[in-house]
Amino acid sequence: MTTYLIIFIIGTYFFRIIFYFTQMIRINLLINPLSELIRDIQDLNSNLDFEKRIASNIDDQKITDIIRKKPLIDYFLKESYSYFHVSYGSSNLEIYKEIIHVYNQLLGIMNQFHFKIMQSLNPLTTVTFILQLPANLFSLLGIKFSITGKRLFSLIIWLIPLIATIFSEDFRSWLLSLF
């Protein structure tokens, strides 16, 4: 039993690190084309009016590639309650403004994942995550707990199997007497 618990803790530790790391890679794959497009537009001839620069020199293929990534961008932006409001018929100026907004949002989300990676490197964070797992699972079902309630509920859930193994014969006879 102890061996399984240690394997579970170590597995959870590495899973959380790998999960956050892969999320950062996915966000980075979204940020790179956005930053290239922004850089291309900013490097254009500065003598022209800004709207004319965007209208005449924006690469339609790059915009199409970015719009194709809209579902993935929306997946990450849902954390910040924002969405990528660009479609195939939008003007280049609207697209550029939205790309700037999305770029800044994704940089913020990437910083959050960087913080979560650094936090998950601490083994105590993994132990805390495992201890609060029962209350977190019930939270997914829509049952909300206060901080104290969350800790108390998790403690009770983790104590039930412990008490059941210590008093297995008494527990079994008590259950049989109920039914």
Side-chain angles (χ1 to χ4, degrees):
M1 170 106 171
T2 311
T3 314
Y4 294 124
L5 183 61
I6 291 172
I7 290 171
F8 180 68
I9 291 172
I10 292 172
T12 305
Y13 176 74
F14 285 114
F15 173 78
R16 288 169 48 98
I17 293 170
I18 291 168
F19 174 76
Y20 292 133
F21 187 71
T22 57
Q23 294 294 78
M24 278 187 59
I25 290 172
R26 290 173 69 191
I27 289 177
N28 204 19
L29 290 174
L30 293 174
I31 288 176
N32 287 340
L34 293 174
S35 66
E36 284 178 23
L37 186 63
I38 292 168
R39 193 175 328 107
D40 288 348
I41 292 171
Q42 290 174 346
D43 289 344
L44 295 174
N45 185 358
S46 60
N47 295 334
L48 294 174
D49 182 27
F50 186 71
E51 290 184 29
K52 289 180 183 175
R53 278 193 279 167
I54 293 174
S56 63
N57 293 312
I58 208 164
D59 187 1
D60 289 335
Q61 184 58 41
K62 286 184 180 179
I63 290 177
T64 304
D65 290 342
I66 290 170
I67 292 175
R68 280 189 192 134
K69 295 178 182 180
K70 184 181 185 320
L72 188 57
I73 291 171
D74 286 343
Y75 170 77
F76 285 111
L77 290 182
K78 72 179 178 189
E79 298 283 325
S80 62
Y81 303 104
S82 178
Y83 291 96
F84 188 38
H85 301 288
V86 171
S87 62
Y88 291 102
S90 303
S91 72
N92 287 346
L93 183 61
E94 289 175 14
I95 291 172
Y96 180 73
K97 286 179 181 178
E98 188 64 23
I99 284 173
I100 293 288
H101 173 73
V102 167
Y103 177 76
N104 291 329
Q105 291 286 326
L106 288 175
L107 284 177
I109 292 169
M110 189 160 160
N111 289 339
Q112 290 173 2
F113 278 117
H114 180 72
F115 175 75
K116 288 179 180 180
I117 283 177
M118 299 310 281
Q119 202 176 26
S120 66
L121 289 174
N122 183 356
L124 293 177
T125 305
T126 301
V127 172
T128 305
F129 173 78
I130 291 171
L131 289 177
Q132 293 178 352
L133 193 60
N136 289 338
L137 291 176
F138 275 90
S139 296
L140 291 174
L141 297 174
I143 300 170
K144 302 294 181 194
F145 294 102
S146 64
I147 294 174
T148 309
K150 187 176 188 178
R151 290 178 181 159
L152 185 62
F153 180 76
S154 295
L155 177 68
I156 290 169
I157 294 297
W158 284 112
L159 284 177
I160 289 173
L162 179 66
I163 292 171
T165 54
I166 292 173
F167 303 107
S168 62
E169 287 300 318
D170 296 334
F171 187 69
R172 215 175 293 144
S173 63
W174 176 71
L175 279 177
L176 291 174
S177 69
L178 289 176
F179 301 108

